[in-house]
């Protein structure tokens, strides 16, 4: 090629530059293209390692095999929080969510003794926590170091820390603070889980979330 010849723009560069994206056989324009551009092969959603969505949380990444990269809420609306209990220790939960063979993770894990929050998946990504694809895509999962059917494992400091976390999530995505939008794992359609169990105090928890959000009771 002559040194003076102009290089033709790539097809992908042209499509992205003009606001058009081809995904499979579909042609997408405008706002839809802005939501899907990062799904074009070779393009990744811009990330910064260690960034957390909740102030004060510690970042420990779950295995990439236990979640799906996404661009929520641009591609999937977030309108639910799912409450879980770990059925084991905090350390065990962190370990298994980092194990690619586990095939599950949650966005957050709250420790019992001090309410410490660890974020393991970005809120924009889909964590495999609910056992229901639709709920995974629309929700954020919070694990609590406790046992669903063992009395006395739910601590006051954990309730309050989780409530502040939930209030922050609700504020970020305009989620109503009620039992329709903050649910237990047991309430997810098709699940065989029973957490957070009979000892989880929903009235108390929602009151704490509202207090943390500054909303009137």
């Amino acid at each position: 090629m002559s040194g003076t010849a102009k290089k033709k723009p790539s097809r992908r560069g042209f499509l992205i530059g003009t606001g058009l994206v081809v995904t499979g056989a579909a042609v997408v324009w405008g706002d839809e293209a802005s939501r899907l551009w990062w799904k074009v092969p070779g393009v990744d959603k811009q990330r910064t390692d260690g960034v957390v969505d909740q102030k004060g949380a510690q970042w420990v990444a779950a295995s990439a095999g236990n979640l799906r990269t996404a661009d929520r809420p641009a591609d999937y609306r977030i309108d639910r929080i799912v409450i879980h209990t770990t059925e084991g220790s905090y350390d065990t939960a962190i370990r298994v969510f980092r194990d690619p063979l586990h095939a599950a993770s949650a966005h957050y894990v709250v420790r019992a003794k001090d309410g410490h929050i660890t974020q393991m998946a970005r809120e924009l990504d889909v964590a495999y926590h609910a056992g229901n694809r639709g709920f995974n895509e629309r929700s954020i999962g919070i694990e609590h170091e406790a046992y669903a059917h063992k009395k006395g494992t739910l601590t006051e400091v954990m309730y309050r820390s989780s409530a502040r976390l939930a209030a922050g999530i609700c504020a970020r995505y305009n989620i109503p603070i009620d039992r329709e939008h903050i649910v237990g794992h047991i309430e997810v359609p098709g699940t065989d889980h029973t957490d957070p169990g009979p000892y989880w105090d929903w009235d108390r928890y929602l009151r704490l979330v509202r207090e943390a959000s500054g909303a009137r009771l």
Side-chain angles (χ1 to χ4, degrees):
M1 185 192 311
S2 168
T4 58
K6 292 184 178 180
K7 183 179 180 180
K8 293 182 179 180
S10 70
R11 176 172 172 77
R12 194 179 90 193
F14 171 78
L15 296 177
I16 294 173
T18 57
L20 180 153
V21 171
V22 177
T23 57
V27 178
V28 185
W29 291 92
D31 290 342
E32 187 72 6
S34 70
R35 297 194 303 126
L36 297 177
W37 72 267
W38 63 275
K39 292 185 177 182
V40 175
V43 176
D44 292 322
K45 181 70 175 180
Q46 190 65 43
R47 311 292 174 110
T48 301
D49 289 342
V51 168
V52 295
D53 296 292
Q54 181 73 13
K55 184 178 179 180
Q58 175 189 6
W59 175 255
V60 178
S63 168
N66 297 336
L67 55 88
R68 186 167 84 243
T69 304
D71 187 23
R72 301 189 310 169
D75 50 1
Y76 302 108
R77 180 181 61 176
I78 299 174
D79 64 2
R80 295 288 191 279
I81 296 172
V82 179
I83 300 298
H84 304 265
T85 51
T86 59
E87 305 306 308
S89 72
Y90 164 86
D91 290 337
T92 297
I94 300 299
R95 185 175 68 252
V96 298
F97 291 161
R98 299 185 72 186
D99 180 356
L101 299 179
H102 186 62
S105 65
H107 293 89
Y108 296 97
V109 183
V110 186
R111 193 161 58 197
K113 69 177 182 180
D114 57 4
H116 177 75
I117 297 171
T118 297
Q119 182 169 3
M120 302 199 70
R122 290 291 305 277
E123 291 177 3
L124 76 170
D125 291 332
V126 176
Y128 301 151
H129 66 96
N132 175 303
R133 178 171 178 168
F135 260 75
N136 283 340
E137 291 172 345
R138 74 190 302 177
S139 68
I140 291 172
I142 305 176
E143 288 277 1
H144 300 80
E145 185 187 16
Y147 294 85
H149 298 280
K150 188 175 180 180
K151 193 173 183 179
T153 60
L154 296 164
T155 67
E156 176 69 17
V157 67
M158 184 167 60
Y159 265 118
R160 291 186 176 277
S161 180
S162 176
R164 290 191 294 271
L165 170 59
I169 294 167
C170 288
R172 284 190 282 280
Y173 306 104
N174 197 29
I175 301 173
I177 301 173
D178 58 35
R179 285 289 283 112
E180 180 181 351
H181 297 87
I182 303 177
V183 302
H185 195 180
I186 189 174
E187 298 168 274
V188 174
T191 187
D192 60 356
H193 288 247
T194 60
D195 56 314
Y199 300 112
W200 183 267
D201 190 335
W202 282 108
D203 290 340
R204 174 187 180 190
Y205 186 67
L206 290 179
R207 183 176 68 253
L208 290 172
V209 177
R210 292 186 184 112
E211 288 175 357
S213 73
R216 289 180 177 272
L217 298 179

